[in-house]
Amino acid sequence: MKIPHSHPRYESLIRREKLADGVERGLVHITGLIAHGRGEAFDYLIGETTIPPALEAEKAAVAALMLAKNPVISVNGNTAVLAGEEVIEFAKEINAKIEVNIFHRTEERLRKLVNYMKSLGAERIYGLEANAKIPGLDQPRSICSYEGIYSADVILVPLEDGDRCEALVKMGKIVIAIDLNPLSRTARTATITIVDDVTRAFRNMITIAKELKSMSREELEEVLKKFDNKENLNRVLNYICKRLKSIYKSSLEDSHPSGKR
Ligand code: ATP
Ligand code: MG
């Protein structure tokens, strides 16, 4: 379908088209559409833009990844079709590995996703080795690569599942989640939660990585030390509440312009 640039919801419609196309090509699992819908609902609440606490979480995330010995970015179907190019560019910027890891796991979809990421320019994509298992996690996302996710000290997991997030934290890893829902188990369990859309988050982190390159290790550690995930999530909730209250107030004024009710 051709979507006109002038459409007020152009960006959002393009994302939907990309996901629908991804389902047809066997890259995105059909349930990925539902997950995206949940994300969209929260994006509406924050105003479909990167809000200040998200930007701070993105900065802390980049610092953690730059300090890491073995940083890994985990990619699923939705992430690949919505932000595949950005993931590759960001991974190059911070010297991170990329691993395909999916919940609805079939060898065929895994292979398709690896090839898709390579077609976008990635040199090496982990995931097909399937030579390790995340302990205490009884689902297909536990199967991973030893050189990638298993041995990562810092792992970036966009659109993560709550169970795996918890299992990765239990392994002692720094887990960075990108999740538009500040109330999800993932958001509550991760070490750093970025409440932003996945494409916007990667674009911002590419810019931030370029900026932080001039920082020393001590300065990066300071950025990380200053970040408090609980406090950051509270700021996100406060932002949403304030925004909704102000929309409510102006809508009251619109319906009662004289101030009388
Ligand atoms: P949890 O298992 O952590 O409680 P969940 O079961 O609600 O979360 P999942 O289906 O496991 O959700 O994962 C999808 C998550 O990804 C949702 O929380 C949703 O808000 C988020 N999400 C979906 N699309 C995007 C997007 N484009 N950008 C950022 N986050 C997104
Ligand atoms: Mg879940």
Side-chain angles (χ1 to χ4, degrees):
M1 199 183 96
K2 184 104 185 76
I3 299 160
H5 266 275
S6 57
H7 194 288
R9 309 207 48 73
Y10 178 79
E11 289 284 331
S12 162
L13 292 178
I14 288 289
R15 281 200 282 268
R16 287 184 180 187
E17 285 294 310
K18 279 186 179 171
L19 286 166
D21 180 58
V23 171
E24 269 171 28
R25 293 166 69 181
L27 296 168
V28 173
H29 189 264
I30 189 92
T31 58
L33 303 181
I34 302 169
H36 184 75
R38 179 174 287 169
E40 271 192 342
F42 280 97
D43 208 17
Y44 226 108
L45 296 180
I46 64 173
E48 294 173 302
T49 184
T50 300
I51 63 175
L55 200 59
E56 263 179 46
E58 282 156 5
K59 191 173 173 189
V62 175
L65 287 159
M66 286 172 93
L67 286 165
K69 281 199 197 79
N70 187 21
V72 174
I73 304 173
S74 175
V75 169
N76 67 356
N78 284 36
T79 305
V81 304
L82 292 174
E85 281 164 3
E86 287 83 357
V87 167
I88 295 165
E89 191 180 341
F90 181 56
K92 276 196 189 132
E93 248 350 290
I94 56 158
N95 253 321
K97 292 173 184 163
I98 302 172
E99 177 164 341
V100 171
N101 181 277
I102 50 181
F103 186 82
H104 298 277
R105 185 188 173 96
T106 62
E107 193 67 22
E108 192 195 349
R109 192 156 81 91
L110 204 66
R111 207 167 283 283
K112 275 187 181 169
L113 279 165
V114 168
N115 290 338
Y116 176 70
M117 291 299 287
K118 284 189 176 162
S119 77
L120 296 181
E123 276 158 32
R124 167 120 207 232
I125 299 288
Y126 293 79
L128 282 170
E129 311 84 349
N131 55 3
K133 211 171 172 305
I134 299 166
L137 185 63
D138 195 19
Q139 50 127 308
R141 285 197 93 167
S142 64
I143 306 166
C144 61
S145 152
Y146 182 84
E147 303 76 37
I149 288 175
Y150 189 86
S151 57
D153 53 346
V154 181
I155 175 164
L156 172 57
V157 287
L159 322 191
E160 183 57 15
D161 182 75
D163 294 358
R164 191 173 73 133
C165 184
E166 204 176 337
L168 291 168
V169 169
K170 274 197 186 140
M171 284 177 86
K173 300 180 191 302
I174 291 186
V175 181
I176 303 159
I178 302 175
D179 192 336
L180 278 161
N181 176 3
L183 303 169
S184 75
R185 283 176 309 145
T186 300
R188 305 258 136 206
T189 322
T191 324
I192 299 173
T193 306
I194 297 167
V195 183
D196 202 356
D197 164 69
V198 70
T199 320
R200 289 199 305 264
F202 274 103
R203 286 187 186 152
N204 292 339
M205 288 193 292
I206 291 167
T207 310
I208 295 168
K210 290 187 192 314
E211 287 165 8
L212 297 198
K213 267 200 179 139
S214 57
M215 276 194 181
S216 65
R217 279 192 79 80
E218 288 72 29
E219 284 171 314
L220 291 172
E221 273 159 12
E222 196 54 34
V223 170
L224 197 54
K225 224 173 74 192
K226 272 207 242 143
F227 183 81
D228 178 334
N229 205 43
K230 250 212 179 107
E231 189 215 47
N232 196 269
L233 282 172
N234 284 340
R235 282 175 56 204
V236 171
L237 290 176
N238 191 27
Y239 184 98
I240 294 173
C241 291
K242 274 194 176 158
R243 182 165 184 270
L244 293 183
K245 264 192 200 154
S246 114
I247 294 171
Y248 174 66
K249 234 177 114 194
S250 51
S251 135
L252 275 184
E253 278 156 16
D254 283 352
S255 47
H256 307 285
S258 64
K260 286 187 200 135
R261 298 178 58 197

PDB file of all heavy atoms in Angstrom, residues 171-182:
ATOM      1  N   MET A 171      21.973 -14.268  35.706  1.00  0.00           N
ATOM      2  CA  MET A 171      23.305 -14.731  35.277  1.00  0.00           C
ATOM      3  C   MET A 171      24.379 -13.701  35.614  1.00  0.00           C
ATOM      4  O   MET A 171      25.557 -13.914  35.344  1.00  0.00           O
ATOM      5  CB  MET A 171      23.325 -14.983  33.756  1.00  0.00           C
ATOM      6  CG  MET A 171      22.642 -16.269  33.330  1.00  0.00           C
ATOM      7  SD  MET A 171      22.661 -16.415  31.507  1.00  0.00           S
ATOM      8  CE  MET A 171      24.265 -17.187  31.233  1.00  0.00           C
ATOM      9  N   GLY A 172      23.967 -12.545  36.144  1.00  0.00           N
ATOM     10  CA  GLY A 172      24.924 -11.511  36.535  1.00  0.00           C
ATOM     11  C   GLY A 172      25.230 -10.505  35.437  1.00  0.00           C
ATOM     12  O   GLY A 172      26.173  -9.729  35.534  1.00  0.00           O
ATOM     13  N   LYS A 173      24.433 -10.514  34.381  1.00  0.00           N
ATOM     14  CA  LYS A 173      24.698  -9.595  33.269  1.00  0.00           C
ATOM     15  C   LYS A 173      24.043  -8.233  33.527  1.00  0.00           C
ATOM     16  O   LYS A 173      23.033  -8.154  34.233  1.00  0.00           O
ATOM     17  CB  LYS A 173      24.104 -10.160  31.971  1.00  0.00           C
ATOM     18  CG  LYS A 173      24.682 -11.515  31.579  1.00  0.00           C
ATOM     19  CD  LYS A 173      24.034 -11.984  30.296  1.00  0.00           C
ATOM     20  CE  LYS A 173      24.344 -13.428  29.977  1.00  0.00           C
ATOM     21  NZ  LYS A 173      25.752 -13.755  29.861  1.00  0.00           N
ATOM     22  N   ILE A 174      24.608  -7.215  32.916  1.00  0.00           N
ATOM     23  CA  ILE A 174      23.921  -5.918  32.855  1.00  0.00           C
ATOM     24  C   ILE A 174      22.953  -6.034  31.686  1.00  0.00           C
ATOM     25  O   ILE A 174      23.363  -6.287  30.549  1.00  0.00           O
ATOM     26  CB  ILE A 174      24.923  -4.765  32.624  1.00  0.00           C
ATOM     27  CG1 ILE A 174      25.779  -4.587  33.876  1.00  0.00           C
ATOM     28  CG2 ILE A 174      24.198  -3.481  32.252  1.00  0.00           C
ATOM     29  CD1 ILE A 174      26.707  -3.380  33.831  1.00  0.00           C
ATOM     30  N   VAL A 175      21.656  -5.926  31.977  1.00  0.00           N
ATOM     31  CA  VAL A 175      20.648  -6.102  30.928  1.00  0.00           C
ATOM     32  C   VAL A 175      19.994  -4.763  30.602  1.00  0.00           C
ATOM     33  O   VAL A 175      19.427  -4.102  31.474  1.00  0.00           O
ATOM     34  CB  VAL A 175      19.573  -7.131  31.360  1.00  0.00           C
ATOM     35  CG1 VAL A 175      18.544  -7.318  30.252  1.00  0.00           C
ATOM     36  CG2 VAL A 175      20.221  -8.467  31.697  1.00  0.00           C
ATOM     37  N   ILE A 176      20.091  -4.388  29.337  1.00  0.00           N
ATOM     38  CA  ILE A 176      19.476  -3.135  28.884  1.00  0.00           C
ATOM     39  C   ILE A 176      18.266  -3.494  28.030  1.00  0.00           C
ATOM     40  O   ILE A 176      18.400  -4.209  27.032  1.00  0.00           O
ATOM     41  CB  ILE A 176      20.478  -2.318  28.026  1.00  0.00           C
ATOM     42  CG1 ILE A 176      21.756  -2.040  28.830  1.00  0.00           C
ATOM     43  CG2 ILE A 176      19.835  -1.021  27.536  1.00  0.00           C
ATOM     44  CD1 ILE A 176      22.951  -1.709  27.957  1.00  0.00           C
ATOM     45  N   ALA A 177      17.079  -3.037  28.444  1.00  0.00           N
ATOM     46  CA  ALA A 177      15.873  -3.349  27.672  1.00  0.00           C
ATOM     47  C   ALA A 177      15.349  -2.094  26.979  1.00  0.00           C
ATOM     48  O   ALA A 177      15.478  -0.986  27.504  1.00  0.00           O
ATOM     49  CB  ALA A 177      14.803  -3.903  28.602  1.00  0.00           C
ATOM     50  N   ILE A 178      14.787  -2.298  25.785  1.00  0.00           N
ATOM     51  CA  ILE A 178      14.045  -1.210  25.140  1.00  0.00           C
ATOM     52  C   ILE A 178      12.596  -1.665  25.160  1.00  0.00           C
ATOM     53  O   ILE A 178      12.251  -2.694  24.571  1.00  0.00           O
ATOM     54  CB  ILE A 178      14.513  -0.983  23.679  1.00  0.00           C
ATOM     55  CG1 ILE A 178      16.004  -0.671  23.623  1.00  0.00           C
ATOM     56  CG2 ILE A 178      13.700   0.141  23.027  1.00  0.00           C
ATOM     57  CD1 ILE A 178      16.579  -0.559  22.212  1.00  0.00           C
ATOM     58  N   ASP A 179      11.760  -0.937  25.876  1.00  0.00           N
ATOM     59  CA  ASP A 179      10.377  -1.369  26.025  1.00  0.00           C
ATOM     60  C   ASP A 179       9.495  -0.145  26.260  1.00  0.00           C
ATOM     61  O   ASP A 179       9.698   0.598  27.227  1.00  0.00           O
ATOM     62  CB  ASP A 179      10.269  -2.349  27.201  1.00  0.00           C
ATOM     63  CG  ASP A 179       8.918  -3.052  27.236  1.00  0.00           C
ATOM     64  OD1 ASP A 179       7.940  -2.511  26.703  1.00  0.00           O
ATOM     65  OD2 ASP A 179       8.855  -4.142  27.827  1.00  0.00           O
ATOM     66  N   LEU A 180       8.531   0.061  25.374  1.00  0.00           N
ATOM     67  CA  LEU A 180       7.649   1.221  25.516  1.00  0.00           C
ATOM     68  C   LEU A 180       6.717   1.114  26.718  1.00  0.00           C
ATOM     69  O   LEU A 180       6.128   2.103  27.129  1.00  0.00           O
ATOM     70  CB  LEU A 180       6.831   1.401  24.228  1.00  0.00           C
ATOM     71  CG  LEU A 180       7.568   2.141  23.107  1.00  0.00           C
ATOM     72  CD1 LEU A 180       6.914   1.890  21.765  1.00  0.00           C
ATOM     73  CD2 LEU A 180       7.644   3.634  23.384  1.00  0.00           C
ATOM     74  N   ASN A 181       6.590  -0.075  27.267  1.00  0.00           N
ATOM     75  CA  ASN A 181       5.710  -0.248  28.420  1.00  0.00           C
ATOM     76  C   ASN A 181       6.514  -0.168  29.718  1.00  0.00           C
ATOM     77  O   ASN A 181       7.224  -1.108  30.075  1.00  0.00           O
ATOM     78  CB  ASN A 181       5.007  -1.611  28.307  1.00  0.00           C
ATOM     79  CG  ASN A 181       4.136  -1.909  29.508  1.00  0.00           C
ATOM     80  OD1 ASN A 181       4.006  -1.080  30.402  1.00  0.00           O
ATOM     81  ND2 ASN A 181       3.541  -3.090  29.528  1.00  0.00           N
ATOM     82  N   PRO A 182       6.396   0.962  30.444  1.00  0.00           N
ATOM     83  CA  PRO A 182       7.205   1.096  31.667  1.00  0.00           C
ATOM     84  C   PRO A 182       6.734   0.181  32.790  1.00  0.00           C
ATOM     85  O   PRO A 182       7.378   0.079  33.826  1.00  0.00           O
ATOM     86  CB  PRO A 182       7.014   2.569  32.061  1.00  0.00           C
ATOM     87  CG  PRO A 182       5.696   2.961  31.471  1.00  0.00           C
ATOM     88  CD  PRO A 182       5.514   2.135  30.222  1.00  0.00           C
TER      89      PRO A 182
END
